[in-house]
Amino acid sequence: MNNNPKILTIQDISCYGQCSITVALPVISAFGIETAVLPSAVLSTHTSGFTDYNVRDLTDDLPKIRKHWESEGIYFDAIYTGFIASSEQLDYIKDIIDSRLKDDGLVFVDPAMADFGEFYNGFDQDFADKMGELCKIGDYILPNTTEACYLLHKPWKEHFTKDEMIDMARDLSGFTKNQVILKGYDNDDEMGMIVFDKTESTTEIIYNDKIDYISHGTGDVFASTFVGSVMIGKSTAQATKIAGEFTKKAIEKTIGDDTHTYGVKFELAIPELYELLNSV
């Protein structure tokens, strides 16, 4: 990996609402990493808590953009995928990864398609199965428990034991080339992420203090911070810890503002990100 890496993130743009590219671009850029974007769709707002939003599907543009990049000789050191608008896009994205990723490049897949036991609007099990094929070319996958259950064709429940989470992370190793970061282990006053290293066959649980606050976009904050941390040389465990702590700080900046219901104020926490990078 060179000293000035370039990352491509592929996910939607929600013009209003703190999620997807509007999170990934500023967060990864805060690490000093050049970040290019490939929108899967453009939405007037994100889909949680808003109604009658406008959606522009950009499926037909993906192969045209890839072709232009090929003619320009544009390559990336890492590709990070988030919200993908359709099954058809998944095939195009695999082509982009195959043609535009450097030989030693990394692939990060956040299979953003479900939460709290339900698919996001417009997704189903067929989509989850195709998402699983994309995950298999990822060096790192970052599912929550709902997404993990759909990938594995297992029933979801609100609480999983530690052993169940570890078993699930190990089962998910069939959907990655290297690392599984399974989010959502609830341990009373702490939240845990299960990190399974496929190459070493080792499991580690990374804990952060729990905050009883639910908001749209926290998964994007976590994933983007994780990607940035790995790209500057942090280990998987360190990157997971940093991502969890930064997400918690972003939530803390938001609590108390009842008008801010569409995301978390991660921008206010960015100065504290640099402290985290030096302490973890």
Side-chain angles (χ1 to χ4, degrees), residues 114-118 144 146 156 214:
D115 208 351
F116 301 109
E118 297 183 353
N144 60 38
T146 303
W156 179 83
I214 296 174

Side-chain angles (χ1 to χ4, degrees), residues 117-241:
E118 297 183 353
F119 280 110
Y120 297 151
N121 186 39
F123 294 154
D124 55 20
Q125 187 60 54
D126 287 341
F127 180 86
D129 292 340
K130 291 206 71 173
M131 176 63 77
E133 295 303 310
L134 178 63
C135 288
K136 288 177 182 178
I137 63 175
D139 296 281
Y140 302 84
I141 63 169
L142 299 98
N144 60 38
T145 57
T146 303
E147 292 155 350
C149 287
Y150 282 128
L151 288 172
L152 296 169
H153 287 247
K154 291 186 175 183
W156 179 83
K157 58 184 181 179
E158 189 170 354
H159 295 289
F160 291 89
T161 68
K162 180 172 70 174
D163 288 342
E164 287 173 332
M165 290 286 289
I166 291 172
D167 287 343
M168 194 184 307
R170 289 180 175 272
D171 290 343
L172 286 167
S173 65
F175 292 91
T176 182
K177 291 162 59 178
N178 193 354
Q179 307 270 351
V180 176
I181 299 87
L182 176 58
K183 301 171 289 183
Y185 173 47
D186 189 338
N187 183 35
D188 297 326
D189 295 331
E190 295 178 306
M191 290 298 294
M193 282 70 70
I194 314 298
V195 177
F196 181 72
D197 186 320
K198 182 175 181 177
T199 58
E200 301 292 335
S201 192
T202 57
T203 304
E204 187 172 0
I205 304 178
I206 308 299
Y207 291 102
N208 298 95
D209 292 339
K210 179 181 177 181
I211 299 178
D212 287 320
Y213 185 87
I214 296 174
S215 175
H216 189 86
T218 52
D220 299 322
V221 172
F222 180 93
S224 301
T225 309
F226 177 87
V227 170
S229 298
V230 170
M231 293 303 295
I232 65 168
K234 296 294 185 180
S235 69
T236 304
Q238 289 173 324
T240 302
K241 182 67 174 179

Side-chain angles (χ1 to χ4, degrees), residues 8 13 23 33 63 70 75-77 81 92 94 98 119 131 148 152 154 175 184 188 217-218 236 239 256 264 276:
L8 169 66
I13 293 177
V23 170
I33 299 170
E70 287 177 349
Y75 290 90
F76 299 98
D77 298 283
T81 69
Y92 288 142
K94 286 189 283 187
D98 183 59
F119 280 110
M131 176 63 77
L152 296 169
K154 291 186 175 183
F175 292 91
D188 297 326
T218 52
T236 304
V264 289
L276 284 172

